[in-house]
Amino acid sequence: MKHGYVKAAALTPGIRVADTVYNTEQIKKGLDEAFAEAAKIIVFPELCITGYTCQDLVFQETLLKGATEGLKEIREYTRGRDALVFVGLPLEKSGKLFNVAAVLQNGKILAFIPKETIPNYGEFYEARYFVAGNAEAENFMFDGEKIPFGTHILFCVDAVDGLQVACEICEDVWAAETPSTSHAMAGATVIVNLSASNETVGKDAYREDLIKSTSARLISGYVYSSAGEGESTQDLVFNGHNIIAENGTILSRARRFENESIYGEIDVQRLRHERRRMNTFLRNKEGYLYLPVHMEKTDTVLTRRYDSMPFVPSDEAKRNHRCDEILSIQSFGLKKRYQHIGCKTAVVGISGGLDSTLALLVTVRTFDMLGLPRENIHSVTMPCFGTTDRTYDNACRLASTLGTTLSEVNIKEAVSLHFRDIGQDSDVHDVTFENSQARERTQVLMDIANRAGGLVIGTGDMSELALGWATYNGDHMSMYGVNAGVPKTLVRHLVKYYADTCGQEELREILLDVLDTPVSPELLPPVDGKISQKTEDLVGPYELHDFFLYYMLRCGFEPSKVYRIARMSFAGKYDNATILKWLKNFYRRFFQQQFKRSCLPDGPKVGSVAVSPRGDLRMPSDACATLWLKEIEGLQAE
């Protein structure tokens, strides 16, 4: 399946207790629905052919024969279908009863997976009926065929690289030492669970947390199908709480008490990427049987959605919590640096733009934590050819309102003298014209810091560093870069959060106007007093670049996959040609500009993505983007 997606289904048929004929028909109807949805992993609940709540009826020969006849009928119903189907039933083996999952595909029974952990506490009495299953597979004769029987069996699907499916049953996932742990260490990337978990007050939240955390701990997909309406309510109620999770994220959940079928596309490629990068995820294949499973390679239609702003929580409460947390991480990082070197002053170059505003806010917060006076923060504004009245006024008002020491160094004369020294025509507005200003500003800040005995606080953010949108040894350089781990899309929300929570109306007004100002380095002369140089017109929308950065770096997606999900996420906002244009620009710049990231100042990592060579991204400065750009060129016709 293209890009490593496999579609899974968790279904809860409405059953009748001990009526295997009726239940078999309901399971077949569920299969019809799942096949129509193109699901390739289909999971039914525990003991669903008979019903979980049969109690002592499971000892009856009539019920056991009905279960095996139902299984044979379901087996035949899968003929011509390559999906893996997991269905539960009681099965007699060597004179004992086992609670098993039968694994079916294309008219065959591939294996029987027995339940390993048999609960016999509270409302559960399974030890009265069943014995624990064996781990290593052994042959079991069923309907004239030798079928592997055991918990340590993985189903290796050839249609998706790395797709290996394992199975456990209900209580197995609640145990202290779960079978799924062994399965994952043996290579399983998707775990299925046939369950009959009854409903009590608050249990649904615990169950969901359990499945979510299991998928995170095992870096796996997890498909959980639970018994629902139709089971006996003599003592218990079952609600069909089906869940599909992937690496700590719930992809789909059923509405309780509705026997709802759910579907989700599990990204096996991403799971493999996560496991590759985590050297603590160990492998142990001992005692496992690996069964090859053939499936046709089809293009999985995606119903899952990717947030267009992956760095910014869409929920306001979560977003506010995230902002407060990041501001604390930035401030505590800077605080430790000050405590270590015994420094008492800071120097921040302020432009009236977003990044320098955030850096100053973080510095103020740090000094408050240290008990240092805010006057020890030197806010330096350095107007030049491109500075507008709006940004200049905001910079000055911000510094004064926060109680810092404001100073102004107009660098026009110094830059003009420098132009004369190097023979630069001041009417030629090229890269030299722009970068000379940035480097002069950095020189001013460094020298003021030396004189004051302080640190220059860096303002550049992670998105600029990813694109190389920084002047080498200009704004690229500082003594501590507080924004180095913060993407541009999040910078905006951090400043907005500060504005909403500062409790100072004048400060809030200034911050809101900063937010309303176009992002610009202001290195070219303004037109009619307004900013003439808008960053996103030159390098592309930051929301696109942050999207590309997250899914390329954090998830390991190849360009075609990034392009695929970007088209979905930004449908109606950017056309395909625009997305493709900036995607190509992103990869080109990302590879070309690594040399700037290789010598970054220290700065705190605040999220799961960082571009520091000491953090997530270690790559040679002369690495070639040829393979990535070639793949993008192949997308032109799409």
Side-chain angles (χ1 to χ4, degrees), residues 308-313 319 323 354-355 461-463 486-495 515 536 541-547 549 570:
S308 61
M309 300 185 74
F311 291 108
V312 183
R319 185 168 63 247
C323 288
L354 275 172
D355 290 343
D461 64 58
M462 185 169 69
S463 305
V486 185
K488 183 74 78 175
T489 48
L490 195 51
V491 169
R492 180 171 296 279
H493 288 279
L494 288 167
V495 174
L515 285 164
E536 291 181 292
Y542 273 117
E543 61 180 343
L544 281 179
H545 287 308
D546 282 357
F547 185 91
L549 176 66
F570 293 98

